Amino acid sequence: MAARPNPLDGFTVDPASIAYVGEGLQRPECILAERDGSLWAADARGGVVHIRPDGTQALISQTASRGFADATDEEARFVSGTLPNGLAFARNGDILISNFGTDRLERMTRDGVTSVLADTLDGQPIGKVNFVLRDSRDRIWLTISTRTRNWMQAIGPHVADGYVALYEQGRLRIVADGFAFTNEIRLDATEDWLYVAETCARKVTRLRVQPDGSLTDRQTFGPEDHGACIDGIAFDAHGNLWGTHVFTDRIFAITPEGELRILLDDDKGSAAGKAFLAAFDRDAATPELMLACGGTIAPWCASITFGGPDLRTVYVGSLKGTRIPFFRSPVAGLPMVHW
């Protein structure tokens, strides 16, 4: 049987079509989109920014922290202080936060009251908490990129100490281990497979989800090596897995057949990007080389979020940006779990 026509056939993002929302944001790594047009963006000042449908915005945090904004050392901006990273909606509309700075899973109400769900596992620190995902059974999936405190020291081809954990009934347990900088995760439409972005393996891995939450049948989805570090991923309704190449600032999609397609290249073979990738291959990447990278649209592009009334508006999160770029997709995104 012939494959279904793919809505992405012939599609690339026209840079001239990109618009922006939000101003003065700090590290809007992850973005949630609500049905009413509201956006919620992680913010390094210690919470999330609520961008309303009319474009007005407000920082919501329990205690504002300016560690990221005021740091005089560029590296310190990305490895210290409170750094809300991945976001997900709790069943009642609260926001689940994987805090990359405090190394814990947090829950924040919409008026800023924050509680800690988990900060240890078997009596030990969790590690660098990166992303959080809630499934339709109300289970919370959590990624830990590395057990190394300064995550920049784990950016290389030979560190594989990241893992995926599952939080349910007040308990956190490891369900898969040995990933090379575990980043964003997504479930497919039927929640049969969990897809894992391995930043430093430079590939996407998928695992079959068992009824008890255990993961089996680990395999690569798409290319074994993208030749670039992967950060965020998100499915569209056709089954294409969209994603970002952080540092070298590309947006890609992997088709259901496993073909890699580059939809936007904001790096364009820059000298900084080439220098970083060459150093990475030698296991010699440094914070200085990483920090030199970054395009102009979404510097250090990180996440992909489908929103808008038809789920065809694509919002791009970033680690070095101060606003959120968006553009139109020819295919709707897979609806996220709301409450």
Side-chain angles (χ1 to χ4, degrees):
M1 181 181 295
R4 293 179 297 156
N6 194 318
L8 294 184
D9 289 344
F11 172 75
T12 57
V13 180
D14 178 3
S17 71
I18 295 174
Y20 296 86
V21 64
E23 293 292 341
L25 309 178
Q26 292 287 339
R27 196 179 179 275
E29 202 276 355
C30 185
I31 302 156
L32 297 179
E34 289 196 87
R35 297 182 181 96
D36 68 356
S38 294
L39 300 177
W40 301 82
D43 196 282
R45 289 168 291 186
V48 298
V49 172
H50 179 200
I51 304 175
R52 305 177 186 90
D54 64 3
T56 60
Q57 64 186 53
L59 173 67
I60 301 173
S61 61
Q62 186 175 37
T63 303
S65 171
R66 294 188 57 81
F68 180 89
D70 292 345
T72 56
D73 176 75
E74 187 71 5
E75 181 181 345
R77 287 162 57 90
F78 293 92
V79 299
S80 62
T82 180
L83 291 175
N85 206 69
L87 307 176
F89 288 121
R91 184 172 293 278
N92 70 345
D94 288 351
I95 296 176
L96 302 171
I97 299 174
S98 52
N99 197 309
F100 202 59
T102 61
D103 298 341
R104 61 195 191 186
L105 173 62
E106 301 166 348
R107 181 178 187 136
M108 192 184 81
T109 67
R110 296 194 173 203
D111 56 4
V113 178
T114 302
S115 58
V116 178
L117 297 182
D119 59 2
T120 61
L121 197 157
D122 296 331
Q124 299 298 315
I126 294 177
K128 298 311 297 181
V129 179
N130 189 303
F131 192 70
V132 59
L133 178 73
R134 184 172 68 87
D135 67 20
S136 62
R137 295 173 57 179
D138 209 29
R139 299 181 298 189
I140 298 172
W141 302 82
L142 192 68
T143 67
I144 287 73
S145 294
T146 176
R147 293 169 169 91
T148 303
R149 174 62 183 168
N150 183 337
W151 66 267
M152 286 187 172
Q153 296 173 0
I155 300 297
H158 303 307
V159 178
D161 63 348
Y163 61 93
V164 177
L166 185 61
Y167 180 86
E168 57 179 341
Q169 298 180 345
R171 177 175 173 261
L172 188 69
R173 61 187 172 98
I174 297 174
V175 289
D177 207 342
F179 295 98
F181 208 91
T182 333
N183 214 303
E184 289 198 7
I185 51 176
R186 296 290 178 184
L187 291 159
D188 63 9
T190 57
E191 298 190 348
D192 290 329
W193 291 87
L194 182 77
Y195 290 71
V196 182
E198 290 195 67
T199 297
C200 293
R202 305 195 301 193
K203 67 178 181 179
V204 174
T205 296
R206 72 174 185 174
L207 304 97
R208 192 183 300 276
V209 181
Q210 301 300 320
D212 65 353
S214 60
L215 300 173
T216 62
D217 301 334
R218 183 169 173 168
Q219 58 191 250
T220 299
F221 177 67
E224 280 292 340
D225 187 349
H226 285 224
C229 295
I230 304 169
D231 195 317
I233 51 176
F235 275 105
D236 68 25
H238 182 81
N240 299 300
L241 183 66
W242 293 52
T244 62
H245 288 152
V246 67
F247 307 128
T248 48
D249 286 0
R250 291 193 291 255
I251 295 174
F252 68 84
I254 304 174
T255 69
E257 296 74 35
E259 176 191 354
L260 177 66
R261 301 185 182 184
I262 303 300
L263 306 181
L264 176 68
D265 183 356
D266 194 34
D267 179 72
K268 303 180 182 68
S270 71
K274 289 179 179 178
F276 164 73
L277 292 174
F280 182 94
D281 289 337
R282 302 192 307 271
D283 198 12
T286 64
E288 292 77 18
L289 288 170
M290 294 178 223
L291 291 165
C293 296
T296 59
I297 296 172
W300 281 22
C301 61
S303 63
I304 295 288
T305 299
F306 289 90
D310 57 1
L311 292 178
R312 288 179 55 190
T313 300
V314 178
Y315 299 94
V316 185
S318 65
L319 296 174
K320 296 173 70 175
T322 57
R323 54 183 183 165
I324 299 169
F326 64 93
F327 57 87
R328 294 287 289 168
S329 163
V331 57
L334 192 66
M336 68 172 62
V337 175
H338 279 82
W339 56 92

